[in-house]
Amino acid sequence: MAGMPEAIIISIVLPFVLFGISIGRRRAPAFLLGVLTYVLGLLVIRLHLPDHLLGRSRMLEIWQMRHPAVFSVLIGSAGAAAGELLRLLVMFILLKRKTWQSAVFFGAGQGSAEVLVLVGVPAVGALVSPSIPQHPDVYAAVSIEQLCIMMMQIGLSVLMLQCIRRRDWRYLAAAVVSHTAIVTTVGFLPFIMHPAHQLAAILTVFIAGGLLLAGYAVVSKKKIDTSNRDWF
């Protein structure tokens, strides 16, 4: 079935391959911390933050009804900023080996957990249950989107590593701005584009963001202090 094999490879095979590599590189704790960070972000930020804010503010409810595009952008921005602060706290407090590889596997863990939950589990359900509609092209597109998000998570984690090691808050600002720019652009596109072109536009944004942040992660390897023996 066209589309499904690619979705299965990206959303199920790749996460377990990356976890296996992290074990071989002795970076499994960093990978699992990334998974934990995704779970915390999902439970606290994505699921409860919007409902909590709406429940506390009548003004936000009015904004949501009257200005859905602006509301979507604001919620996306708040979620991106909260996500980067959560990443900073977890990496600063719990990540013992603050090296380039640890940051890469930390981001890979976040991305792997996300693609497994959002794409892998539903794809398997669609394959094994005849009652669940199968949309292989959609699964393939979303898996590519999640692969780009994994690349973004790796780049953002390396930015946060720089913030921690250099004690330079500009790296935190760069992570927040980058994450927010991508999320708000994707959140705003459905309100200004024809539905037939939305998927292609959203994928373009994620691909560009993923390549830029992953490229930064690769380039920054030479710039990060390599004097620590725990580098490799």
Side-chain angles (χ1 to χ4, degrees):
M1 185 179 295
M4 271 301 193
E6 294 86 345
I8 295 298
I9 290 172
I10 293 174
S11 63
I12 297 179
V13 176
L14 180 59
F16 285 101
V17 168
L18 290 173
F19 181 53
I21 295 174
S22 74
I23 294 174
R25 293 279 185 167
R26 298 182 180 179
R27 294 300 188 277
F31 188 95
L32 293 175
L33 274 178
V35 173
L36 173 64
T37 303
Y38 169 73
V39 173
L40 290 174
L42 179 66
L43 294 177
V44 177
I45 298 173
R46 295 191 183 186
L47 297 182
H48 293 298
L49 181 61
D51 292 339
H52 178 76
L53 291 176
L54 287 173
R56 293 297 182 88
S57 174
R58 177 63 180 170
M59 183 63 68
L60 286 178
E61 291 183 356
I62 296 174
W63 265 84
Q64 184 183 27
M65 292 184 293
R66 295 183 178 179
H67 309 284
V70 176
F71 180 82
S72 177
V73 169
L74 290 177
I75 287 294
S77 301
E84 292 311 311
L85 290 175
L86 177 61
R87 188 197 311 271
L88 175 64
L89 288 174
V90 174
M91 290 183 69
F92 180 74
I93 297 173
L94 299 178
L95 187 64
K96 293 183 178 180
R97 305 168 79 173
K98 294 178 174 60
T99 64
W100 182 84
Q101 272 201 39
S102 293
V104 168
F105 281 112
F106 182 96
Q110 275 190 284
S112 294
E114 184 169 353
V115 72
L116 188 61
V117 170
L118 299 184
V119 183
V121 173
V124 171
L127 287 175
V128 301
S129 176
S131 63
I132 300 178
Q134 296 184 1
H135 303 287
D137 294 338
V138 174
Y139 280 112
V142 174
S143 62
I144 293 173
E145 172 187 308
Q146 290 297 321
L147 178 62
C148 295
I149 291 175
M150 185 184 299
M151 296 164 61
M152 289 166 46
Q153 297 284 19
I154 291 172
L156 291 168
S157 297
V158 172
L159 274 171
M160 209 58 66
L161 174 71
Q162 292 278 54
C163 173
I164 294 170
R165 289 184 57 153
R166 295 176 181 270
R167 291 178 172 80
D168 189 339
W169 295 105
R170 289 178 295 179
Y171 289 100
L172 171 61
V176 171
V177 169
S178 300
H179 195 163
T180 301
I182 294 169
V183 169
T184 54
T185 301
V186 169
F188 194 68
L189 285 176
F191 296 98
I192 61 174
M193 297 193 69
H194 190 276
H197 306 297
Q198 289 177 12
L199 180 59
I202 290 173
L203 281 177
T204 300
V205 173
F206 277 125
I207 290 172
L211 289 175
L212 286 173
L213 285 166
Y216 166 77
V218 173
V219 171
S220 68
K221 180 179 179 180
K222 296 181 180 180
K223 297 181 180 180
I224 296 176
D225 182 13
T226 60
S227 63
N228 192 332
R229 294 180 181 179
D230 187 35
W231 184 256
F232 288 104

